[in-house]
Amino acid sequence: MWHLRGNTTLTPEPYIQSPSHPASQCLSGLGGDLKNTPQNPVTMSTNSPPVTPTPPTSPMSPSTPTPPPTPQHGTTSYAKSIVFMGKGRSPNFVTESTRLPIQLSPGQVLVRVELATICGSDLHTLNGTRTSVHPCVLGHEGSGVVVDSRREGVEAGQRVTWGVCASCDNCLSCSLALGNKCMKLHKCGHTLVTTAPLFGTYSTHTLCLAGTPIVPLPPALTPTLAAPLNCSLATMVHAMAKIPTLPRPGHPGATVALVQGAGMLGVYGCALLREAGFGRVYCSDPNRTRLAKVSDFGGIAVHPEQEDDLIAPDSVDVAFEVCGSKEVMSRGVRALRPGGTYILVGLVHPDSRMDVTAQTIILKCLTITGVHNYTGEHLHSAVNFLARHHHRYPFKSLVGPTYPLSDFRNALEVARSGKFFRVAVNPQL
Ligand SMILES: [Zn+2]
Ligand SMILES: [Zn+2]
């Protein structure tokens, strides 16, 4: 079923507005009067049953003869997106058509998404186990081709990836190189459509806000290689930056790492650590299917049942928690040598109370630190790392089947099955 909505402004104007002039066309009338005007033909469908939206191409009423303004870019005037409607709503996501902007604001970049990948965090949002603003265009992992840009150095036709965090570059956090914690942060896949109508990747187009890091992709980084890198790989590059200067290579215990979790973060982490010179990289996970991949990425697979036998206490220089399970914390602390570093990445949920005493931390002189998302610098490094090493490790194999956007529900089901590290969505199919 289609609902046609929008405001009644008759004067053509750029679709994208600043937050102070919200793009109220998009979902602003949710639950209210449903209207349609040719100037503002935002459309929406529920996903039950699935429908194939057809963007309006002509005025609905003979009394409003002015045709819609034509955007200056791309071959289509509309984007089609998956919009999260909120926890407990039925349906909790819909497919929506949104008119593309006619004119971008300074700093904005409009990208045609070539491939997006379904992240576990999106599954949590849709399962209701993670709180998210709504309505918002879902999805943050993806790559694409620039179709319009008002950013110096970013040109139409470039293939790019972009950061999940759009920052202001002006606040205290930004001044501390913590753009990922910007006080005016907007996150791709987690921003209200009234603020940013197309800032998500389960969409034919993503409108990257000013302050979103944009990084060109070399041709070797195919969509399959590139789509997931702006989440797990860039985050692990950030985590790697937390490793302090290590003792000289060759000294006992100088280059041993433990990665707790063999998901995307974990296998990227294994490859990053090996390329950084770590001689032994243990990677633990109870899921044997995932563990089977670890050696392909340079890690030593460790099932929790073997952990005590394989990893001696006080033998690891640096440990990474990338599994989201608080049960691993005491094991990580136990494995670390005196002066070791524990980097927490995956436990981004409230049920994460640490089972470790301050005494242990003090007596072992441990450094425990957290990493959340990343900055543009880390995204650049992630692209460079993948460009250098994609031949050496089977990164391509991390992405399973690809679905069209119209089949998003099935893509979700397959993603939930856990058979693949990532399931992909090609919004152009
Ligand atoms: Zn992700
Ligand atoms: Zn800021």
Side-chain angles (χ1 to χ4, degrees), residues 89-257:
R89 295 286 296 267
S90 183
N92 61 355
F93 69 86
V94 296
T95 306
E96 178 168 335
S97 289
T98 305
R99 200 171 66 195
L100 290 173
I102 297 162
Q103 186 181 337
L104 304 187
S105 298
Q108 290 184 333
V109 176
L110 182 67
V111 181
R112 188 175 66 246
V113 178
E114 59 188 7
L115 198 69
T117 40
I118 298 178
C119 182
S121 64
D122 293 318
L123 298 180
H124 285 302
T125 299
L126 288 162
N127 292 345
T129 49
R130 180 174 192 260
T131 304
S132 176
V133 299
H134 55 85
C136 70
V137 177
L138 277 178
H140 51 275
E141 300 183 1
S143 60
V145 179
V146 174
V147 293
D148 198 3
S149 169
R150 284 198 69 190
R151 178 95 58 101
E152 202 176 326
V154 180
E155 309 292 340
Q158 279 183 314
R159 279 187 70 234
V160 295
T161 180
W162 54 95
V164 297
C165 297
S167 54
C168 76
D169 203 26
N170 205 27
C171 70
L172 177 62
S173 294
C174 286
S175 74
L176 296 169
L178 280 167
N180 50 320
K181 294 286 116 183
C182 172
M183 291 155 151
K184 296 175 182 168
L185 186 69
H186 293 301
K187 289 181 72 173
C188 188
H190 300 284
T191 300
L192 283 173
V193 292
T194 46
T195 301
L198 289 172
F199 198 32
T201 59
Y202 303 153
S203 178
T204 55
H205 296 75
T206 299
L207 181 62
C208 295
L209 302 179
T212 309
I214 307 274
V215 181
L217 290 167
L221 296 189
T222 60
T224 304
L225 285 169
L229 83 83
N230 69 342
C231 183
S232 309
L233 183 56
T235 300
M236 282 311 288
V237 167
H238 187 186
M240 293 287 292
K242 299 292 184 187
I243 301 174
T245 306
L246 293 164
R248 281 173 293 155
H251 283 229
T255 56
V256 181

Side-chain angles (χ1 to χ4, degrees), residues 285-306:
D285 200 297
N287 182 326
R288 292 190 187 277
T289 307
R290 293 190 164 207
L291 271 187
K293 276 274 186 197
V294 163
S295 61
D296 293 344
F297 292 87
I300 301 166
V302 181
H303 192 273
E305 288 169 2
Q306 312 165 285

